[in-house]
Amino acid sequence: MPRTRFVVAAILGVAVAAIASGQEPKKFELGFAKDKDNKYAPYHQQVKTEVTQVIKVQGQDLTQKQNSTFWYQWTPAKEEAVKDKDGKDDFVRWTLKQKIEGLEMNIDISGNPINYSSVKDSTGSAGNPGLVVFFKGLKDTEFTATLGKNYKVEKVEGKDEFVKKLGAGNVQMDALLKKVLTDEALKEMVDPTAKLLPDSPKKVGESWEKKTSLNLGPIGSYELLYKIKYAAVEKEKDKLEIETVITYTAPKENPEGLLFRIKDGSKLTSDPAGSKGTVLFDPKTKRIESAEINITLKGDLVVVIGGTDTRVELTQVQKTLINTQE
């Protein structure tokens, strides 16, 4: 009997493998629903991020925890068929409006809490009123994003108004935002998952990679490599497995108007074991239904403050949960 069960299991395994190998490649396409008046209907997205950061300075550990939740409204505004040189439709360019409908922030810096909620009846923590004013300014902010070929963000409009709104009355904040909020940073903020979809049809079991860069000015720059696998079909949803590989480069130039500088030679790299996640794509709605992106960063930084070099050991664990609904 044991041998019979083994033979049956082996035959079933071969059959399943044959079915999988014969599967037609699936094309992943984004799409947007229309209402009864044949206009594109808005949809909503919740992005929840948990960050734990441990900084070791001169043998002392400083811990910062940050939990944030953002609620966005997305409204498709324009659909444009872009033709190639032969006059055929090459891809569809989408224009979408993004609005920050609400947010909650809970930050704990070595036992000092800073809290704010635009949803609850809360005026925020009095521990850092300037930061609370900054959070309040985020609500109702709007951007216009243009998605090009393979759903990559081509441009984001609204940055100048955003910086002006948040930096009003605070010279240092205005200077920092103008340096840190680069075009690349804004594109990454607007598009956390759509860029991960494959450029060509894929079968279950096939893999691909996506690369992007994130320049944060005086903070430095990051090279991001996403290793993605079409892992399975679960309850008619397509499951993708993600590994995020990050390499950090310190800024080359000295920032002006800032109280610190990250010295060249500082290193941060992602930990493969702590940088895996999943994306669930719904082929019926043609949208990413949910995602979990995990990133663990470890490294050594040399921070110059007041002309003095300070060596910092950094460990950062970040989990981002994304859910999309009507």
Side-chain angles (χ1 to χ4, degrees), residues 13-265:
V14 171
V16 171
I19 292 172
S21 64
Q23 177 205 30
E24 288 295 322
K26 178 179 290 186
K27 187 175 182 180
F28 289 75
E29 293 182 297
L30 283 183
F32 304 99
K34 292 185 177 182
D35 58 21
K36 61 182 181 180
D37 297 321
N38 203 33
K39 295 181 179 180
Y40 287 115
Y43 63 96
H44 300 82
Q45 192 175 64
Q46 175 184 279
V47 180
K48 185 175 182 179
T49 304
E50 300 176 0
V51 179
T52 299
Q53 189 179 78
V54 179
I55 300 174
K56 180 172 287 187
V57 183
Q58 297 177 347
Q60 182 179 4
D61 287 351
L62 303 175
T63 301
Q64 174 178 317
K65 294 183 179 181
Q66 176 178 310
N67 294 330
S68 66
T69 303
F70 280 79
W71 289 274
Y72 299 101
Q73 182 191 64
W74 288 90
T75 305
K78 185 179 179 182
E79 177 185 2
E80 178 187 6
V82 179
K83 298 184 180 297
D84 59 17
K85 295 180 180 179
D86 298 327
K88 299 179 181 179
D89 291 343
D90 189 22
F91 66 92
V92 175
R93 176 180 286 127
W94 291 93
T95 301
L96 299 98
K97 301 284 186 180
Q98 182 196 43
K99 180 181 179 180
I100 300 177
E101 294 187 301
L103 65 145
E104 289 186 344
M105 300 291 297
N106 297 285
I107 303 173
D108 188 306
I109 304 175
S110 298
N112 298 307
I114 301 170
N115 304 307
Y116 172 73
S117 174
S118 68
V119 181
K120 303 174 184 177
D121 184 15
S122 170
T123 57
S125 168
N128 194 323
L131 197 55
V132 170
V133 170
F134 176 84
F135 294 151
K136 286 183 177 180
L138 291 172
K139 188 178 184 301
D140 296 326
T141 296
E142 295 185 354
F143 298 101
T144 300
T146 301
L147 304 185
K149 193 168 187 177
N150 300 321
Y151 314 112
K152 184 177 180 180
V153 178
E154 292 182 343
K155 65 178 179 179
V156 178
E157 299 172 78
K159 183 179 78 171
D160 292 341
E161 294 83 356
F162 181 60
V163 171
K164 184 178 179 180
K165 178 182 177 182
L166 296 182
N170 190 321
V171 177
Q172 287 187 340
M173 179 65 74
D174 182 70
L176 181 61
L177 285 172
K178 287 179 178 178
K179 293 177 182 295
V180 173
L181 196 63
T182 62
D183 290 340
E184 291 88 347
L186 202 56
K187 290 176 183 179
E188 191 72 19
M189 182 181 72
V190 166
D191 173 35
T193 51
K195 62 178 178 293
L196 303 177
L197 297 178
D199 299 344
S200 59
K202 298 293 180 184
K203 296 180 181 179
V204 171
E206 291 190 321
S207 301
W208 61 97
E209 294 183 350
K210 289 292 186 77
K211 292 182 179 180
T212 186
S213 60
L214 178 59
N215 183 0
L216 295 179
I219 306 299
S221 60
Y222 295 84
E223 295 295 326
L224 296 94
L225 171 64
Y226 299 97
K227 298 180 178 180
I228 311 159
K229 180 181 179 180
Y230 185 5
V233 177
E234 297 181 353
K235 297 180 180 180
E236 300 183 342
K237 309 291 175 63
D238 299 310
K239 182 180 179 181
L240 311 181
E241 294 178 344
I242 315 292
E243 179 185 342
T244 306
V245 182
I246 299 177
T247 304
Y248 170 79
T249 302
K252 300 298 182 183
E253 299 179 359
N254 295 339
E256 297 180 2
L258 300 183
L259 301 177
F260 67 92
R261 175 170 64 90
I262 300 176
K263 206 169 183 179
D264 191 23

Side-chain angles (χ1 to χ4, degrees), residues 274-303:
S275 301
K276 300 183 185 298
T278 57
V279 170
L280 209 59
F281 180 80
D282 188 341
K284 291 184 178 179
T285 61
K286 295 185 177 182
R287 284 204 303 261
I288 290 174
E289 181 179 274
S290 63
E292 177 179 332
I293 307 296
N294 298 295
I295 297 175
T296 298
L297 285 174
K298 296 181 179 180
D300 297 310
L301 303 174
V302 179
V303 182

